[in-house]
Amino acid sequence: MKSEQLSESTLLKPLVTLSGSAADTVIGPPLGRVDIGVNESAYICRVSLPGVRGNDDKVKCNIERSGRVDIEGVVTESQFVKNSSKEFKIALQQLSPPGPFKISFNLPGPVDPRLSSISFKPGGILEVVVMKFRVPQLSANGMFEKWYDCSSLPLHV
Amino acid sequence: MNLTSCSISGDLISSFKFNAFMRKVFAISAVTTKLFVLPILKDGMTEPLPTTTGQNPSEQNPLDDPGLFGDPDPLLENGWFIDPEAAVPSEPMAGVDPDTKAAPEATAGEASPIMATPVSQRRARRTAEDVSERPDWLPEGWKMEVKVRTSGATVGTADRYFFSPSGERFRSKVEVLHYLETGSRRKNGRKSKDDPDPASTEKPSESPAERKKKKPKATSNAKNFSDLNFDFKNPPESVTWVQSDASGDNWVPSTDDGNVPIDAKEWGTVYARLSQLDKSSDAS
C-alpha cells in the first residue's frame, strides 16, 4: 500500500533537479538558444539543438548577405520510443516535442554567406562561423594589404 | 607530440640499449629525423619522449662523438646514456627488437631481470579508434579518411588521409598546414597520390633550423591572394547550407535557384585561407 502511494506520487510530480547554469534557465525547451560572438573578421553563432544532430532529416541553414540566419530542422522522436511495441505515454515533457522547428536571428552586420563554416559540436550545439562582408585591397602582385569593411559600402559596386 | 600522431613506419636506423639504471629497458629509435626515446616500463606501457632536436644519426653518427659518454648528452635526461655495443643494424619497420641484443646486457647483474619482449608487440599501435576523430586543426570543407593497413608487419596500423575541398590528398597535418599556409604542396614530399603504399612514403623531413627559416616565408604566403579566383565584392544574396551527413560536419551549399554553385569548392579554399591569414596576423 505504501509503495503504491509512493509510485503514484512520483508519477504525478516527477522530480528534476537543476544546478549550475541549468538552474538559471527557464523550464522549457532548451532548443534554439543562441550565442553570437564577433571578432575583426567573422561572426560566430552557437545554437543549441539538442537531439537534432544525426537525424534523417538534415538541418538547413540559410544565411543572407544582410546577416539574417534561418535554421530549419526536425526534432525526431526517440528511436527507442518509435521502435517499442508498447506505447509510451508522456509523464513529463520538458524537452522540445518532436516536429519541425525554425530558428531565425540577425547577425550584427553584413556577411559573405559563401564564406561560412557550419558544424555540429558535441552536446547538440550547432556552430556557424560566417566571415564578415569585406573586400581585400591587394597590391600589384596580388599580396593582401588590408580589408575594406563593406558594411557601409553600396552592394554590387 | 604523441605516438599516435607520428608515423614510425620509416627505416629504423639504429636501436640502442640503455642501462637498466631505473630497472627499465629503454629503446631509442631514430626514425629518419624524428628521434624518440621509448621507455618500456615493466607493465608494458610505452611512452615516447620526444626529443628537442631532429638529429639524424645517418648524418651525424652519435657513436663517433667522443664526448657522448663523458659529457651529458643534451638529448638525454640525467642518468641515461647510449651504449654503442647495443646498436642494432638498420631494419625495416617493426624491427625494434631489443631482446635479441639489448636484453641480455640490460638484465646482466640485475637482481630481478626484466624480460624484454619485442617493442613491436608492446608499442601501442595507432589504431583506427585513435585517429578516427576529426582533428580541430582541419578546416571546414576538408575531408578525412582513415585507412587501416591490411598486410605487412604494420598490419592494423591506421593511416589518416586528408582531402582538400578540391580533392587533393594529404598524408599528414604537416602537409595540410603547409598547403594552407603556402597554397602549394611541400616540395620535398613525394607525390602521395602516386604512391599506393603508405608504409613506404616516409620522407625526410626538414631540420628545426630549416623549419625556422621557412616560417616568415609561409606567413607572407598566406597573404598571397594572386591565385584566388574569388569575387569578394559580390557575395550572393543568400546561401542555403544543407547538412549532408549524419555527423553534421559536411554541409552542401546551394544558392537561391537551388543549385550547388560551381565555384563552391573555391569557397572552402578561400575560407581556409582567410582563417590562416587571421592566425598569422594575430601572431605578428
PDB file of all heavy atoms in Angstrom, chain B residues 80-101:
ATOM      1  N   TRP B  80      71.080   8.773 -18.016  1.00  0.00           N
ATOM      2  CA  TRP B  80      70.867   7.963 -19.199  1.00  0.00           C
ATOM      3  C   TRP B  80      72.125   8.029 -20.035  1.00  0.00           C
ATOM      4  O   TRP B  80      72.794   9.040 -20.087  1.00  0.00           O
ATOM      5  CB  TRP B  80      69.719   8.501 -20.050  1.00  0.00           C
ATOM      6  CG  TRP B  80      68.371   8.516 -19.409  1.00  0.00           C
ATOM      7  CD1 TRP B  80      68.068   8.796 -18.108  1.00  0.00           C
ATOM      8  CD2 TRP B  80      67.130   8.279 -20.056  1.00  0.00           C
ATOM      9  NE1 TRP B  80      66.737   8.744 -17.921  1.00  0.00           N
ATOM     10  CE2 TRP B  80      66.123   8.429 -19.079  1.00  0.00           C
ATOM     11  CE3 TRP B  80      66.775   7.938 -21.359  1.00  0.00           C
ATOM     12  CZ2 TRP B  80      64.790   8.248 -19.378  1.00  0.00           C
ATOM     13  CZ3 TRP B  80      65.445   7.791 -21.651  1.00  0.00           C
ATOM     14  CH2 TRP B  80      64.450   7.927 -20.664  1.00  0.00           C
ATOM     15  N   PHE B  81      72.416   6.927 -20.706  1.00  0.00           N
ATOM     16  CA  PHE B  81      73.464   7.012 -21.715  1.00  0.00           C
ATOM     17  C   PHE B  81      73.170   6.007 -22.807  1.00  0.00           C
ATOM     18  O   PHE B  81      72.357   5.107 -22.659  1.00  0.00           O
ATOM     19  CB  PHE B  81      74.855   6.819 -21.104  1.00  0.00           C
ATOM     20  CG  PHE B  81      75.113   5.429 -20.608  1.00  0.00           C
ATOM     21  CD1 PHE B  81      75.592   4.463 -21.466  1.00  0.00           C
ATOM     22  CD2 PHE B  81      74.865   5.095 -19.285  1.00  0.00           C
ATOM     23  CE1 PHE B  81      75.836   3.187 -21.005  1.00  0.00           C
ATOM     24  CE2 PHE B  81      75.104   3.826 -18.835  1.00  0.00           C
ATOM     25  CZ  PHE B  81      75.585   2.844 -19.694  1.00  0.00           C
ATOM     26  N   ILE B  82      73.884   6.191 -23.897  1.00  0.00           N
ATOM     27  CA  ILE B  82      73.683   5.312 -25.041  1.00  0.00           C
ATOM     28  C   ILE B  82      74.836   4.314 -25.078  1.00  0.00           C
ATOM     29  O   ILE B  82      76.000   4.698 -25.026  1.00  0.00           O
ATOM     30  CB  ILE B  82      73.641   6.121 -26.348  1.00  0.00           C
ATOM     31  CG1 ILE B  82      72.421   7.032 -26.312  1.00  0.00           C
ATOM     32  CG2 ILE B  82      73.612   5.218 -27.544  1.00  0.00           C
ATOM     33  CD1 ILE B  82      72.376   8.016 -27.453  1.00  0.00           C
ATOM     34  N   ASP B  83      74.507   3.046 -25.141  1.00  0.00           N
ATOM     35  CA  ASP B  83      75.513   2.007 -25.203  1.00  0.00           C
ATOM     36  C   ASP B  83      75.770   1.671 -26.663  1.00  0.00           C
ATOM     37  O   ASP B  83      74.895   1.148 -27.344  1.00  0.00           O
ATOM     38  CB  ASP B  83      74.999   0.777 -24.454  1.00  0.00           C
ATOM     39  CG  ASP B  83      76.050  -0.316 -24.413  1.00  0.00           C
ATOM     40  OD1 ASP B  83      77.064  -0.203 -25.120  1.00  0.00           O
ATOM     41  OD2 ASP B  83      75.847  -1.275 -23.666  1.00  0.00           O
ATOM     42  N   PRO B  84      76.984   1.970 -27.151  1.00  0.00           N
ATOM     43  CA  PRO B  84      77.251   1.748 -28.579  1.00  0.00           C
ATOM     44  C   PRO B  84      77.234   0.268 -28.934  1.00  0.00           C
ATOM     45  O   PRO B  84      77.001  -0.102 -30.079  1.00  0.00           O
ATOM     46  CB  PRO B  84      78.632   2.365 -28.786  1.00  0.00           C
ATOM     47  CG  PRO B  84      79.252   2.404 -27.429  1.00  0.00           C
ATOM     48  CD  PRO B  84      78.134   2.526 -26.442  1.00  0.00           C
ATOM     49  N   GLU B  85      77.501  -0.618 -27.974  1.00  0.00           N
ATOM     50  CA  GLU B  85      77.565  -2.045 -28.270  1.00  0.00           C
ATOM     51  C   GLU B  85      76.195  -2.592 -28.654  1.00  0.00           C
ATOM     52  O   GLU B  85      76.088  -3.641 -29.240  1.00  0.00           O
ATOM     53  CB  GLU B  85      78.079  -2.810 -27.051  1.00  0.00           C
ATOM     54  CG  GLU B  85      79.459  -2.382 -26.573  1.00  0.00           C
ATOM     55  CD  GLU B  85      80.496  -2.500 -27.668  1.00  0.00           C
ATOM     56  OE1 GLU B  85      80.480  -3.498 -28.397  1.00  0.00           O
ATOM     57  OE2 GLU B  85      81.295  -1.571 -27.796  1.00  0.00           O
ATOM     58  N   ALA B  86      75.197  -1.897 -28.215  1.00  0.00           N
ATOM     59  CA  ALA B  86      73.852  -2.444 -28.379  1.00  0.00           C
ATOM     60  C   ALA B  86      73.199  -2.020 -29.685  1.00  0.00           C
ATOM     61  O   ALA B  86      72.047  -2.324 -29.904  1.00  0.00           O
ATOM     62  CB  ALA B  86      72.971  -2.001 -27.219  1.00  0.00           C
ATOM     63  N   ALA B  87      73.961  -1.349 -30.522  1.00  0.00           N
ATOM     64  CA  ALA B  87      73.359  -0.865 -31.762  1.00  0.00           C
ATOM     65  C   ALA B  87      72.876  -2.024 -32.609  1.00  0.00           C
ATOM     66  O   ALA B  87      73.600  -2.983 -32.848  1.00  0.00           O
ATOM     67  CB  ALA B  87      74.374  -0.040 -32.533  1.00  0.00           C
ATOM     68  N   VAL B  88      71.659  -1.936 -33.037  1.00  0.00           N
ATOM     69  CA  VAL B  88      71.076  -2.972 -33.876  1.00  0.00           C
ATOM     70  C   VAL B  88      71.112  -2.467 -35.308  1.00  0.00           C
ATOM     71  O   VAL B  88      70.814  -1.304 -35.546  1.00  0.00           O
ATOM     72  CB  VAL B  88      69.622  -3.243 -33.423  1.00  0.00           C
ATOM     73  CG1 VAL B  88      68.915  -4.163 -34.390  1.00  0.00           C
ATOM     74  CG2 VAL B  88      69.628  -3.825 -32.022  1.00  0.00           C
ATOM     75  N   PRO B  89      71.508  -3.302 -36.236  1.00  0.00           N
ATOM     76  CA  PRO B  89      71.585  -2.824 -37.618  1.00  0.00           C
ATOM     77  C   PRO B  89      70.230  -2.387 -38.148  1.00  0.00           C
ATOM     78  O   PRO B  89      69.196  -2.811 -37.637  1.00  0.00           O
ATOM     79  CB  PRO B  89      72.087  -4.049 -38.394  1.00  0.00           C
ATOM     80  CG  PRO B  89      71.900  -5.214 -37.487  1.00  0.00           C
ATOM     81  CD  PRO B  89      71.937  -4.684 -36.096  1.00  0.00           C
ATOM     82  N   SER B  90      70.319  -1.565 -39.149  1.00  0.00           N
ATOM     83  CA  SER B  90      69.103  -0.999 -39.737  1.00  0.00           C
ATOM     84  C   SER B  90      68.170  -2.100 -40.205  1.00  0.00           C
ATOM     85  O   SER B  90      68.561  -3.037 -40.882  1.00  0.00           O
ATOM     86  CB  SER B  90      69.503  -0.112 -40.905  1.00  0.00           C
ATOM     87  OG  SER B  90      68.367   0.460 -41.451  1.00  0.00           O
ATOM     88  N   GLU B  91      66.929  -1.966 -39.828  1.00  0.00           N
ATOM     89  CA  GLU B  91      65.926  -2.953 -40.215  1.00  0.00           C
ATOM     90  C   GLU B  91      64.687  -2.231 -40.680  1.00  0.00           C
ATOM     91  O   GLU B  91      64.460  -1.101 -40.294  1.00  0.00           O
ATOM     92  CB  GLU B  91      65.514  -3.801 -38.992  1.00  0.00           C
ATOM     93  CG  GLU B  91      66.501  -4.893 -38.667  1.00  0.00           C
ATOM     94  CD  GLU B  91      66.068  -5.608 -37.400  1.00  0.00           C
ATOM     95  OE1 GLU B  91      64.857  -5.751 -37.189  1.00  0.00           O
ATOM     96  OE2 GLU B  91      66.945  -5.994 -36.634  1.00  0.00           O
ATOM     97  N   PRO B  92      63.884  -2.885 -41.473  1.00  0.00           N
ATOM     98  CA  PRO B  92      62.599  -2.245 -41.818  1.00  0.00           C
ATOM     99  C   PRO B  92      61.686  -2.173 -40.615  1.00  0.00           C
ATOM    100  O   PRO B  92      61.973  -2.729 -39.562  1.00  0.00           O
ATOM    101  CB  PRO B  92      62.012  -3.161 -42.895  1.00  0.00           C
ATOM    102  CG  PRO B  92      62.736  -4.454 -42.751  1.00  0.00           C
ATOM    103  CD  PRO B  92      64.087  -4.126 -42.181  1.00  0.00           C
ATOM    104  N   MET B  93      60.588  -1.490 -40.798  1.00  0.00           N
ATOM    105  CA  MET B  93      59.568  -1.228 -39.769  1.00  0.00           C
ATOM    106  C   MET B  93      59.350  -2.410 -38.847  1.00  0.00           C
ATOM    107  O   MET B  93      59.383  -3.550 -39.254  1.00  0.00           O
ATOM    108  CB  MET B  93      58.248  -0.875 -40.487  1.00  0.00           C
ATOM    109  CG  MET B  93      57.077  -0.724 -39.575  1.00  0.00           C
ATOM    110  SD  MET B  93      57.367   0.607 -38.426  1.00  0.00           S
ATOM    111  CE  MET B  93      56.156   0.203 -37.197  1.00  0.00           C
ATOM    112  N   ALA B  94      59.080  -2.107 -37.607  1.00  0.00           N
ATOM    113  CA  ALA B  94      58.771  -3.079 -36.574  1.00  0.00           C
ATOM    114  C   ALA B  94      59.995  -3.920 -36.234  1.00  0.00           C
ATOM    115  O   ALA B  94      59.876  -4.992 -35.672  1.00  0.00           O
ATOM    116  CB  ALA B  94      57.608  -4.000 -36.969  1.00  0.00           C
ATOM    117  N   GLY B  95      61.144  -3.447 -36.618  1.00  0.00           N
ATOM    118  CA  GLY B  95      62.347  -4.183 -36.312  1.00  0.00           C
ATOM    119  C   GLY B  95      62.920  -3.821 -34.959  1.00  0.00           C
ATOM    120  O   GLY B  95      64.009  -4.253 -34.617  1.00  0.00           O
ATOM    121  N   VAL B  96      62.226  -3.025 -34.190  1.00  0.00           N
ATOM    122  CA  VAL B  96      62.704  -2.697 -32.855  1.00  0.00           C
ATOM    123  C   VAL B  96      62.641  -3.981 -32.046  1.00  0.00           C
ATOM    124  O   VAL B  96      61.580  -4.473 -31.729  1.00  0.00           O
ATOM    125  CB  VAL B  96      61.810  -1.628 -32.203  1.00  0.00           C
ATOM    126  CG1 VAL B  96      62.446  -1.161 -30.905  1.00  0.00           C
ATOM    127  CG2 VAL B  96      61.607  -0.472 -33.141  1.00  0.00           C
ATOM    128  N   ASP B  97      63.763  -4.531 -31.765  1.00  0.00           N
ATOM    129  CA  ASP B  97      63.773  -5.852 -31.172  1.00  0.00           C
ATOM    130  C   ASP B  97      64.845  -5.908 -30.116  1.00  0.00           C
ATOM    131  O   ASP B  97      65.891  -6.516 -30.302  1.00  0.00           O
ATOM    132  CB  ASP B  97      64.039  -6.868 -32.286  1.00  0.00           C
ATOM    133  CG  ASP B  97      63.583  -8.256 -31.855  1.00  0.00           C
ATOM    134  OD1 ASP B  97      63.083  -8.380 -30.714  1.00  0.00           O
ATOM    135  OD2 ASP B  97      63.740  -9.196 -32.624  1.00  0.00           O
ATOM    136  N   PRO B  98      64.608  -5.273 -29.007  1.00  0.00           N
ATOM    137  CA  PRO B  98      65.675  -5.126 -28.029  1.00  0.00           C
ATOM    138  C   PRO B  98      66.041  -6.441 -27.347  1.00  0.00           C
ATOM    139  O   PRO B  98      67.107  -6.540 -26.765  1.00  0.00           O
ATOM    140  CB  PRO B  98      65.105  -4.133 -27.018  1.00  0.00           C
ATOM    141  CG  PRO B  98      63.635  -4.251 -27.168  1.00  0.00           C
ATOM    142  CD  PRO B  98      63.367  -4.656 -28.577  1.00  0.00           C
ATOM    143  N   ASP B  99      65.221  -7.454 -27.431  1.00  0.00           N
ATOM    144  CA  ASP B  99      65.547  -8.646 -26.654  1.00  0.00           C
ATOM    145  C   ASP B  99      66.575  -9.519 -27.345  1.00  0.00           C
ATOM    146  O   ASP B  99      67.126 -10.422 -26.732  1.00  0.00           O
ATOM    147  CB  ASP B  99      64.279  -9.446 -26.318  1.00  0.00           C
ATOM    148  CG  ASP B  99      63.603  -9.995 -27.540  1.00  0.00           C
ATOM    149  OD1 ASP B  99      63.940  -9.518 -28.655  1.00  0.00           O
ATOM    150  OD2 ASP B  99      62.758 -10.872 -27.408  1.00  0.00           O
ATOM    151  N   THR B 100      66.822  -9.291 -28.612  1.00  0.00           N
ATOM    152  CA  THR B 100      67.827 -10.094 -29.279  1.00  0.00           C
ATOM    153  C   THR B 100      69.225  -9.701 -28.850  1.00  0.00           C
ATOM    154  O   THR B 100      70.047 -10.546 -28.546  1.00  0.00           O
ATOM    155  CB  THR B 100      67.701  -9.971 -30.803  1.00  0.00           C
ATOM    156  OG1 THR B 100      67.723  -8.581 -31.125  1.00  0.00           O
ATOM    157  CG2 THR B 100      66.403 -10.583 -31.302  1.00  0.00           C
ATOM    158  N   LYS B 101      69.477  -8.409 -28.834  1.00  0.00           N
ATOM    159  CA  LYS B 101      70.820  -7.973 -28.496  1.00  0.00           C
ATOM    160  C   LYS B 101      70.869  -7.234 -27.168  1.00  0.00           C
ATOM    161  O   LYS B 101      71.780  -7.433 -26.386  1.00  0.00           O
ATOM    162  CB  LYS B 101      71.336  -7.029 -29.586  1.00  0.00           C
ATOM    163  CG  LYS B 101      71.823  -7.750 -30.822  1.00  0.00           C
ATOM    164  CD  LYS B 101      72.750  -6.846 -31.591  1.00  0.00           C
ATOM    165  CE  LYS B 101      73.464  -7.636 -32.674  1.00  0.00           C
ATOM    166  NZ  LYS B 101      74.468  -6.826 -33.331  1.00  0.00           N
TER     167      LYS B 101
END
